Structures are given as structure tokens and as C-alpha cells.
Amino acid sequence: MSFLTYLSIFLLFNWLNRAVKMTQLSFKWKAVLGIGQGAAAVAYFVLKKPLSDEVHLLIGSIALGAIIKYFNEQEDFKSFRSYFESHYPLIAVGILIFLISIVVPSFYDEYDQYFLLPLVAAFIWVISRWAASKKQREELLLYKAKNEELDRLVAERTAEIQNQKEELEATIELLQNTQQQLIQSEKLASLGELTAGIAHEIQNPLNFVNNFAEVSSELLVEMTQELAKGDLEEVRYIADDIRQNLEKISQHGKRADSIVKGMLQHSRTSNGQKEPVNVNNLADEYMRLAYHGLRAKDKSFNSELVTNFDNSLPEVNIIQQDVGRVLLNLFTNAFYAVHQKQKELGQTFRPKIEVSTRLQHNNIELTVKDNGTGIPEAIRDKIMQPFFTTKPTGEGTGLGLSLSYDIIVKGHNGNIAIESEEGNGSVFIITLPII
Amino acid sequence: MKILVVDDEADVQPLFLQCFRKEIRNHVFDFDFAFSGEQALDYLKDKHSEVVLILSDINMPGMSGIELLSTIRKDYDNPPPLVMMITAYGDEETHTNALQLGANDFLTKPLDFNLLKEKLNTVLHNG
């Protein structure tokens, strides 16, 4: 009878040994489990001869109980607990059989072959629990493997998404750089249009500087002659003329200077500094530049330029360079529109560009009006969109008005309004708050 | 000799008045000024018989010097005034165009006043 108990001990060590094989627990437990397995076999055979079967069973049962108690307390074998606990009936039956053989030996002797039955039943119970526990652990392992596979997939996807995110970020940066370059090249393109206008606008004051300087030097010669004659009144008269000439020279020098400065400012990247600016002067300067720029390209073009400036207008805080770009853009467009119309209608059409300023409550209102081709209803909503242009490829970047919109609305809290009638001309009204 | 100067730059007036100080004082030349083609035509309406010579810039906003020239040639042919054109650049196309329309002479900016004086004196003595 004691055989089943010892077999259980043997199997306990043996199975645990197999279960921990190939896991991290193997190194720690391999020796203990191996020795336990051997010890169980040896103990069974050594103790079999000298002891009666009942005593042998008692020792086996107690040993099994101690071993189960020990393993039950080990964290490493937590998942085997239901298997360990399945030994309790076997231990209890073993001890009970011993007690019966001691207390009622006659009864025991008479029915001893029946006592094997509960022992076998308890043993089968242990084995069945083992099988169940083994299956459970296998399923657990399977889940674990599946979990690991899932984790791996999630990590893979995360890495993929991370890569895509980085690629997208790089693309956005590239796009932003390209946008900056586009804005800069639009600036340079408009500068190209300006060049001829600028040349003309600088040539004119330079001519005056040269002419007034020459005249003044001639006047000085005359003055010396008059001094020799002693005609002091004439000398005084000439001196006054020379003084006026010098004023003119300085005035035209400053005019050329401001044009060159404006050009440099136009091509530079904006420093974003707002400063008080006389909008009338700015509008006048850019209207002339745009006009002469177009004329340099097409000599046959001519237009009437009308200015209605409110001279009492206060200076307004703006980024001069940016608003200058907007004005240049509006004037270039206006001249383009009247030029197109002139091409259609011939010389009978009189192009006219009108720029007006006035004070409206706390705003400065600047109006650029032309009697050109006008803007068709169908595209009126689109003209502020980037890259929208009605000009032939290569003539317009399509960025002018969209940049103008950004500058006035986002950069200056202002507004651009458009009134237009196809065939009759357009009016662009810029409103800038006085701050 | 009455001369009409047409230019959109107002400072042309003091410049001419000083360059031709002596001539003006001695009543050799008499200058009048118009600051646009339109103004020049207005002026000519009343005084075309007095004006001997018209000096006109070509590059002006509104009515250009070329248009002014063709109007003058159309409307005032008895006697036809002399017209000298002033161009900013050595521009062949406008040059030929102006010649065809009946310009008598050309000057380029910046004006060479000694050359202009010579030309005016030639006109004075031949006319």
C-alpha cells in the first residue's frame, strides 16, 4: 500500500523537474528535485523490508505532507498549488489506514484488502489533478506566447507609426522651408518688375542733381564777375539762387536715397518692426515705381495717375516693407488690368489709376481704383488664394494677393475689401487701424 | 522768342529760369511751363500764335509727349510750331515714332544746357 504514496512523492519530484526544465527555475531547482526524486525511490526500497507496510505508509504519508507543505510555501511553484493540494486525500487516507490498523487491528486484518481502494482512488485523483494542472499550464503558456506575439506586433506597429510621424515632420519642415523660399522668390520677382521703375525714378532726381549743380557752378562764375563790377545787389540775388539750388540738390538727393532704401528694404527679409509711416508718401512712391516698371517693359503703355491724398492723415504704425509690398502688388495688378483693356480696345481707351487716402474713425482707408478689365464674378472668391493667377504662366506667381491678405489682415489687423465690375474696373480698399 | 516747356517734374521750371537767366532778363527768350500734356494743350488754345518752340518730355503720366506732339501737328499747322522732344533713355523706337509724327529735334535727359542753348540760338537766328 505504501507504494502509491512513495510513487506519488517520486512523481511529484519527477513532474516538477520536467515542468521547470527549459525555464529560468531549472537552475535553482534542478538539484533539489533530482535528489528528492532519487531519495523517494531509495527510501521506499530501503524502508520496505524492516518496516511493516502500515508504518511504511505512515512515514511516506508524513513525508509527502511535509514536502507538499514545503512546496506550497514556494513562490516559484505558485501555479502548481491545485496539484499540490490534490495530495491531501492521499495523505489523509494513508494516516487513517495506519490509525485503523493500530486502533482496531482485528477489523483492519479482516478487511485490509479493501483499504487499498480509497488509497487508489486518492492516487488517481492526484494523477487527474496533475493532468488538469498540466493542461492549464500549457494553455497559460500558449496565452503567454500569444501575448508576446501581440506585444511584438504592437511594438512593430508603434515603430512604424513613429517612423511615419518622423517622415511627416520632415516633410512639413521641408514644406515650410519651401514656403519661405516661395515668399522670398515672389519678393525677388516683384523686385525684378520694379527694377526698371526704380532706374527711372532714380534717374530723374539724379538729372536734377546734375543740372542744378552745373547751373550753380555757372552762377558762381557770374557772381565773381558781378563782385568785380561791384554790383552787390546782383551778387545777393545770385547767392539766393544758389542757396535755392543747393536746397533742390539736397531734396532730389534725398528722393533718390529714399528710393534706393525702399528697394533694399523691399528685397530684405522683413524684420517685423512696426514704425510710424506716412502712408501717402509710401503709396505715391510705390505707384510711381509700379508705373515706370510697367512702362519700361512696354513703352506704348500710358496711364493717368490720380492721387487724392488726405494730407491731414496721421502717421500709422506699420511694417513699411510689408505694406510696401502690398501696395506694389495692388498697383502692379491695377496697371496690368488697364494695360490688358488697352490692348483690347486700343488707344481710344484712357487708362486711369486712382489712389486715395482718408481717415475713417480710427482707421486709415487707402483705396486703389482702376478702370481696367475688372474681376469676373466667378473668380472673385479665388483671387486671394495662394497660387491663383489669371496671368499667363511665368508672368505671375499667384502669391501676390494671398501674401497681401496675410500682411494686411494677419500682420496689421486690417482688412482688404474688393469691389469690382467686370469690364469696368476694380477697387481695392485697404483699412489699417491707427494704434 | 516764346518757348513752352512741358514736363511733369515741377522743378524743371526753376532750373530753366536759372539756366537762361541772362537771356530771360535780356528778353531773348521767354519761357512758359506746362506740367502735363493736357495743360500744354489748354495753354496752346489761347497762345498758340505766340509760341515759337515747344520743348516736351515724352515720358509723362496721362497724355504722353508723343500724343501731345501728334495733337499739335494735327490742330496747329498755321504756322506749325517747332517741337523738340526730351527722352529719358536712348530709346530708338520712340525716337523714330516721334520723327514720323513730326518732331523737329531731340534732346536726352539729363539735359545738356549748353547744347540746348546752341540749338535755341540756331532757331533764333534762322527763324
Side-chain angles (χ1 to χ4, degrees):
Chain A
M1 280 196 290
S2 58
F3 174 73
L4 286 177
T5 305
Y6 283 91
L7 183 60
S8 291
I9 297 173
F10 178 83
L11 288 176
L12 175 68
F13 284 112
N14 184 273
W15 287 342
L16 281 183
N17 206 5
R18 286 204 337 237
V20 300
K21 203 181 268 178
M22 309 299 285
T23 70
Q24 307 100 298
L25 296 176
S26 170
F27 178 76
K28 182 176 167 190
W29 289 103
K30 204 178 155 193
V32 175
L33 295 172
I35 290 165
Q37 186 182 329
V42 169
Y44 173 72
F45 290 110
V46 169
L47 298 176
K48 195 177 188 279
K49 279 268 166 68
L51 296 177
S52 75
D53 198 20
E54 288 71 32
V55 176
H56 197 183
L57 178 63
L58 177 69
I59 291 172
S61 296
I62 289 168
L64 181 59
I67 291 163
I68 291 300
K69 187 175 185 292
Y70 171 74
F71 280 125
N72 242 344
E73 283 164 1
Q74 300 302 314
E75 271 299 297
D76 291 345
F77 296 111
K78 212 169 143 186
S79 62
F80 292 88
R81 264 177 210 169
S82 73
Y83 164 60
F84 294 149
E85 281 159 11
S86 71
H87 288 88
Y88 293 157
L90 188 64
I91 296 163
V93 169
I95 294 170
L96 205 62
I97 289 172
F98 171 75
L99 287 177
I100 289 169
S101 71
I102 297 295
V103 177
V104 277
S106 56
F107 174 78
Y108 177 76
D109 285 342
E110 199 178 334
Y111 299 101
D112 68 343
Q113 59 269 52
Y114 296 106
F115 285 101
L116 191 59
L117 276 175
L119 209 58
V120 170
F123 180 71
I124 290 170
W125 171 247
V126 169
I127 298 202
S128 74
R129 289 313 300 160
W130 167 255
S133 145
K134 194 180 170 192
K135 201 176 154 211
Q136 215 175 14
R137 271 179 298 109
E138 272 166 4
E139 270 170 17
L140 206 71
L141 277 176
L142 203 68
Y143 279 127
K144 230 175 154 183
K146 273 187 188 159
N147 258 341
E148 273 167 15
E149 174 68 9
L150 270 177
D151 281 348
R152 197 181 54 76
L153 278 176
V154 168
E156 225 168 65
R157 292 286 142 80
T158 312
E160 235 169 72
I161 289 168
Q162 184 68 25
N163 268 345
Q164 282 174 345
K165 184 182 157 246
E166 276 161 20
E167 271 170 38
L168 279 174
E169 275 171 354
T171 313
I172 286 170
E173 205 187 312
L174 192 72
L175 274 173
Q176 279 169 342
N177 285 340
T178 312
Q179 190 193 26
Q180 280 305 315
Q181 279 168 8
L182 269 173
I183 290 173
Q184 194 60 24
S185 62
E186 199 275 338
K187 232 189 256 184
L188 291 178
S190 61
L191 190 68
E193 282 179 14
L194 274 185
T195 314
I198 288 165
H200 179 273
E201 284 299 291
I202 295 174
Q203 187 63 54
N204 259 342
L206 272 182
N207 286 343
F208 278 113
V209 168
N210 288 334
N211 286 143
F212 276 114
E214 271 165 44
V215 172
S216 299
S217 100
E218 277 164 28
L219 283 177
L220 277 170
V221 175
E222 271 180 50
M223 195 174 167
T224 333
Q225 287 165 2
E226 298 297 337
L227 268 174
K229 272 192 256 169
D231 188 346
L232 283 184
E233 199 179 329
E234 186 65 16
V235 168
R236 223 169 279 136
Y237 191 73
I238 294 174
D240 198 47
D241 271 359
I242 292 174
R243 187 188 53 73
Q244 278 177 26
N245 287 355
L246 291 177
E247 262 171 36
K248 292 282 176 203
I249 288 172
S250 140
Q251 185 189 317
H252 285 283
K254 277 179 192 152
R255 189 174 141 196
D257 184 66
S258 92
I259 289 160
V260 173
K261 280 211 180 96
M263 179 178 74
L264 289 176
Q265 223 173 38
H266 183 83
S267 61
R268 253 198 332 247
T269 314
S270 170
N271 63 359
Q273 277 297 316
K274 284 184 184 162
E275 50 200 355
V277 173
N278 182 327
V279 176
N280 291 345
N281 291 349
L282 194 68
D284 192 53
E285 190 181 313
Y286 275 98
M287 179 168 70
R288 287 165 157 280
L289 288 176
Y291 176 62
H292 292 299
L294 187 59
R295 266 192 56 87
K297 275 197 266 182
D298 188 344
K299 289 266 187 299
S300 71
F301 175 69
N302 201 286
S303 171
E304 197 182 336
L305 308 176
V306 181
T307 53
N308 301 313
F309 290 139
D310 176 355
N311 289 318
S312 66
L313 218 61
E315 291 195 327
V316 55
N317 262 320
I318 52 171
I319 306 168
Q320 180 166 352
Q321 184 199 355
D322 286 357
V323 177
R325 288 180 71 182
V326 174
L327 289 171
L328 177 67
N329 189 257
L330 294 187
F331 286 126
T332 310
N333 286 347
F335 284 124
Y336 184 84
V338 293
H339 193 28
Q340 290 301 107
K341 194 165 164 187
Q342 195 176 45
K343 280 184 191 165
E344 280 169 31
L345 300 180
Q347 289 298 325
T348 49
F349 169 63
R350 312 288 304 180
K352 186 175 171 188
I353 306 290
E354 218 176 318
V355 54
S356 324
T357 52
R358 63 172 183 161
L359 198 61
Q360 271 284 81
H361 309 296
N362 284 324
N363 293 311
I364 278 182
E365 195 180 275
L366 187 146
T367 310
V368 177
K369 184 177 169 188
D370 68 70
N371 61 350
T373 48
I375 305 160
E377 183 91 48
I379 63 165
R380 220 163 286 168
D381 293 337
K382 295 183 195 155
I383 56 171
M384 294 289 188
Q385 290 171 7
F387 303 111
F388 180 82
T389 179
T390 58
K391 295 180 185 173
T393 313
E395 279 190 36
T397 57
L399 286 173
L401 276 179
S402 97
L403 282 177
S404 299
Y405 184 85
D406 283 355
I407 288 168
I408 296 299
V409 177
K410 295 184 190 160
H412 291 86
N413 291 323
N415 188 39
I416 299 186
I418 305 164
E419 289 165 16
S420 183
E421 202 179 318
E422 193 172 356
N424 283 329
S426 308
V427 185
F428 281 79
I429 304 156
I430 294 180
T431 322
L432 289 169
I434 306 166
I435 314 155
Chain B
M1 186 169 82
K2 191 156 219 139
I3 298 163
L4 176 67
V5 181
V6 190
D7 199 315
D8 60 315
E9 295 272 1
D11 276 348
V12 160
Q13 185 165 5
L15 188 62
F16 269 75
L17 292 181
Q18 284 186 25
C19 281
F20 293 97
R21 266 179 95 241
K22 278 188 208 156
E23 288 85 349
I24 292 166
R25 202 168 40 187
N26 301 330
H27 303 288
V28 183
F29 298 133
D30 186 6
F31 286 97
D32 272 324
F33 297 88
F35 300 112
S36 70
E38 289 87 349
Q39 257 186 44
L41 286 182
D42 269 356
Y43 175 93
L44 285 176
K45 255 182 217 159
D46 301 331
K47 304 193 176 169
H48 64 96
S49 54
E50 297 169 33
V51 174
V52 180
L53 177 79
I54 296 162
L55 260 175
S56 174
D57 188 17
I58 287 182
N59 184 6
M60 291 183 292
M63 180 183 280
S64 74
I66 296 287
E67 284 172 77
L68 176 65
L69 172 64
S70 70
T71 315
I72 289 171
R73 283 293 172 252
K74 203 174 71 200
D75 294 351
Y76 305 98
D77 58 346
N78 194 24
L82 288 170
V83 181
M84 283 189 190
M85 305 304 291
I86 306 167
T87 57
Y89 331 95
D91 171 12
E92 271 308 309
E93 202 187 315
T94 353
H95 196 277
T96 336
N97 197 3
L99 266 184
Q100 276 167 357
L101 286 168
N104 299 91
D105 209 343
F106 279 94
L107 291 160
T108 49
K109 277 184 177 179
L111 279 178
D112 179 344
F113 278 95
N114 290 325
L115 184 70
L116 178 60
K117 261 179 211 176
E118 263 174 48
K119 284 182 191 253
L120 293 185
N121 280 320
T122 320
V123 171
L124 188 67
H125 295 121
N126 294 349

